[in-house]
Amino acid sequence: MTIARRLAATLLVCGVVGGSLVERDTPALEPYREGEYWILAGDFHVHSFFGDGLLPPWEARREARRRGLDAIAVTNHNHQASLVVDRWTSFLAGSLTGASGADSASDLLVLPGQEITAGRYHLIGVGMATTVDWTQSAAEAIAAVHAQGGAAIAAHPTRGYWNAYDSRALSVLDGSEVAHPLVDGDAKSRGELIEFYTRLRTARPSAAPIGSSDFHIRAPMGLCRTYVFARERSQAGVVEAIRSGRTVAYDSTGQAFGDAALVAMADRRRQHDAVRRTSPSPSASASVVAVLLGLVGLIVL
Amino acid sequence: MRTGVKAGLIFNQNVSLREDPIARLALVIGVHEAGRAEALRYTPLMSPDLRVMLFPSSAYRTLAPLAAGTTLHAALGRPLLVAIILGCAMAISATGRITIGLALSTILCWSFVPALQMLTGAWMLTRGTGDPKTAAQMDLWFMGHAPWSLWILVSAAMFTWSGETTRLEWFVVASALIPAVWTGIITRAFCRIVQQAPMRSAVRRAIAHQIVTVALVVAYLFAVARPWARILEMVRL
């Protein structure tokens, strides 16, 4: 190995080790409660490896924690393979560390889900045990999600998807993504999400506003997020809050969607969160630079 | 052949300019003799991978005899580097961070990609009649991965520093055409020089390899993203 390649390899190792040391300083997260509600930050549209996301499910958990989230839903397209892996890795991690899963105060709630990807609609099912057939109508798919005790959310409902949500579907739909990275910088699509949400609220006044990152490759998890006002800190509590419409959605600019009283409470939670570091520090960025340069060095030198 | 303009380490190896697109490009854009000679003075600083990327035919001609003694153990080094590159790039793209645990997780998950590349490489090797043994050929084969490796790292850097809401995905997907075409050129040179195939046969094998690679990518996407419904959306059946 030449001296140049040794230097590149050293840079790579230093970057990875340095990045690990920096991450150890990330503050632990505590659940936030106000009055009768746990105010939980959630991202209910996350894709993971074994689907078309980059991160394996166990790393998606860690990333959610880094981003200050209390709950995520893993929603791959029309399958739930990653959830099986997640259950096993959680079980193994729990066995090795002695942690008792969801009972742990700082543990993340991972809701099983599916992005029901049909020809005319995309629907997020949250809190379901088995997959839902995508060939049926939106109303039938929503009923199938409800039959499993889950909540059904319209995924990025831009104009092209509107025809699938007839009056029957709108009357039972639990929520709609009103904040989504897809519409960042796109006023037309942004207006369509808001218009659909307004229509949904007319048909079903308790429909929940939802903010999601649709995390696949890079839009940071939790960039758009939903605060749910849950009576209990559990999967059932989160699903009940969504189905009752007790949510506030925030888009990437910080604009809130939801009832004014709930928005005020969510704002207090966000102020509480502001002390937490959710984006990479300069040290973490420096470690990334070192790793990239080290790898380029190993290719070209 | 224009012997008058062929000079330096690369061009003195009796390589037809038709076989080296980069060298041909240098002639087309009128790079002067002195400039090329100056550039070639730094060739020892280039890794074999970079030389294969820039001058596929001449680099393979130089490197093939030297690789004859490559052991299987040594030949696994490059696939391992590809796995590390892919894993680190995935971790950085998705999180903007890198840690030991995160890197190991993503390397583990995405190591199926170099494993599949080894399989397609093995398929290519069964088609060849070149002198070097299989381990050496596999090592030479993976030297051609540099365009994809650099594209992956540049994409990761763009995702990390382009701002949280900038939409880059389609640009990155479209830019994959560059390493795809470049790898086709390298594959042709590999078949031509290392496997000593006639030019026409080398071109056929390179095209077949690219088709197999694209088929594998499409198969993966169908397995994980279940795009049937989206295809229906597009054709509006």
Side-chain angles (χ1 to χ4, degrees), chain B residues 182-195:
Chain B
W182 208 322
T183 302
I185 293 168
I186 292 172
T187 304
R188 186 194 64 169
F190 175 85
C191 297
R192 180 88 179 89
I193 308 297
V194 179
Q195 300 195 302

Side-chain angles (χ1 to χ4, degrees), chain A residues 19-20 23 49 51 54 56 58-59 63 67 77 79 117-120 122 184 217-218 223 278 288 299-301, chain B residues 47 90 93-100 102 105 109-110 149 159 162-166 169 224-226 229-230 233:
Chain A
S20 305
E23 276 303 320
F49 188 77
L54 293 191
W58 61 91
E59 288 300 338
E63 180 62 8
R67 299 282 176 183
H77 298 282
H79 70 91
T117 309
R120 295 187 174 276
H122 289 195
D184 279 325
I217 298 174
R218 65 178 286 259
L223 177 67
T278 57
V288 167
I299 298 166
V300 304
L301 295 175
Chain B
S47 67
M90 296 300 180
S93 297
T95 69
R97 299 173 169 86
I98 190 79
T99 66
I100 295 171
L102 179 59
S105 293
C109 284
W110 291 92
S149 295
F159 280 146
S162 62
E164 291 182 336
T165 56
T166 310
E169 283 79 355
V224 299
R226 312 286 170 101
R230 280 182 248 199
E233 258 172 49

Side-chain angles (χ1 to χ4, degrees), chain A residues 38 40 109 111 230 232-239:
Chain A
W38 292 101
L40 306 173
L109 292 170
L111 282 70
E232 61 178 69
R233 208 172 140 268
S234 65
Q235 176 183 313
V238 169
V239 170

Side-chain angles (χ1 to χ4, degrees), chain A residues 187-227:
Chain A
K188 180 172 169 285
S189 299
R190 183 184 163 84
E192 289 172 1
L193 292 195
I194 293 171
E195 189 178 335
F196 182 82
Y197 171 65
T198 307
R199 276 180 56 206
L200 176 60
R201 291 278 280 195
T202 306
R204 189 167 186 268
S206 66
I210 300 292
S212 306
S213 67
D214 200 353
F215 178 74
H216 284 89
I217 298 174
R218 65 178 286 259
M221 200 187 290
L223 177 67
C224 299
R225 59 179 64 194
T226 307
Y227 289 88

